[in-house]
Amino acid sequence: MRSFTPFFNLRLLAAVSAIALSGCANYHLGASGPLQFHTLYVEPTRVLALVPQAAAPTTEMLRQSLLQEGNLQLSNQADADATLEIVLVDYQRGAAATQQNNSLNAESFTLTLTASCTLVDNRSGKTYFKDRRVDVTEQAFVQNGVSFNESEYQAMPRLARDLSNKIKDTIISTW
């Protein structure tokens, strides 16, 4: 068996490093390309599903998330280049795990919130996307005397946050 020299090991390490780092050369942090609009009006979220107290947190968290993006400004409807409409269209609750002693009582639930989003260019009337469905899932745990209603209430801000982040990613990504 032949042993490798330190010089060979150094060249091999340099070659492997060069190959590994070349994959990161074209990576850019943030949006994948320039947006076709610079100002956005986010309509208040409408609700068609039976979902408790989700509209206001979703709208607020989405606005905060978009403001943190940096390459997009929020404005009123008359001054905006584009308008985003969000409609909460579905809300599902499903038992994820049952109690060990009683299989009829759930210990955790899977909550799924679905929104339909439409983004329109106010200047040209062009629709960037229409009725694009975005959904998120969260677990609600019923343990130690916590009722389902209370655990669902506690999970709603997390659902709204996750949904707003997914909607933001949909807006700033390439359609």
Side-chain angles (χ1 to χ4, degrees):
M1 181 166 119
R2 180 178 171 209
S3 67
F4 294 107
T5 65
F7 181 68
F8 176 78
N9 290 341
L10 187 60
R11 287 190 308 179
L12 180 63
L13 179 63
V16 169
S17 297
I19 291 170
L21 293 175
S22 68
C24 300
N26 292 323
Y27 179 78
H28 299 285
L29 186 62
S32 59
L35 294 174
Q36 297 178 16
F37 51 90
H38 300 289
T39 58
L40 178 68
Y41 173 68
V42 178
E43 290 183 356
T45 302
R46 292 187 302 135
V47 180
L48 297 180
L50 295 174
V51 56
Q53 302 184 10
T58 300
T59 303
E60 181 60 29
M61 289 182 188
L62 176 60
R63 287 180 177 158
Q64 289 176 3
S65 183
L66 289 168
L67 286 172
Q68 292 173 356
E69 188 56 33
N71 60 351
L72 190 60
Q73 292 181 341
L74 299 181
S75 69
N76 59 31
Q77 191 170 16
D79 299 332
D81 296 336
T83 297
L84 175 67
E85 174 189 276
I86 305 161
V87 181
L88 301 179
V89 294
D90 193 25
Y91 180 64
Q92 298 290 321
R93 303 171 184 102
T98 59
Q99 292 179 356
Q100 188 174 10
N101 303 357
N102 185 352
S103 62
L104 296 178
N105 289 334
E107 279 192 347
S108 70
F109 291 85
T110 301
L111 307 175
T112 303
L113 181 60
T114 304
S116 175
C117 304
T118 300
L119 182 62
V120 177
D121 187 320
N122 293 341
R123 300 161 296 185
S124 67
K126 172 185 173 187
T127 301
Y128 294 115
F129 54 79
K130 182 170 178 56
D131 299 329
R132 182 166 296 177
R133 293 178 70 88
V134 178
D135 62 349
V136 292
T137 301
E138 183 68 43
Q139 295 295 317
F141 297 96
V142 180
Q143 297 174 357
N144 302 328
V146 175
S147 70
F148 170 72
N149 290 339
E150 186 177 344
S151 65
E152 181 181 37
Y153 180 78
Q154 292 171 357
M156 198 52 61
R158 294 189 308 268
L159 274 170
R161 180 200 61 218
D162 294 348
L163 185 65
S164 64
N165 285 332
K166 272 189 142 178
I167 292 170
K168 178 201 67 160
D169 290 343
T170 301
I171 293 167
I172 65 169
S173 67
T174 305
W175 308 297

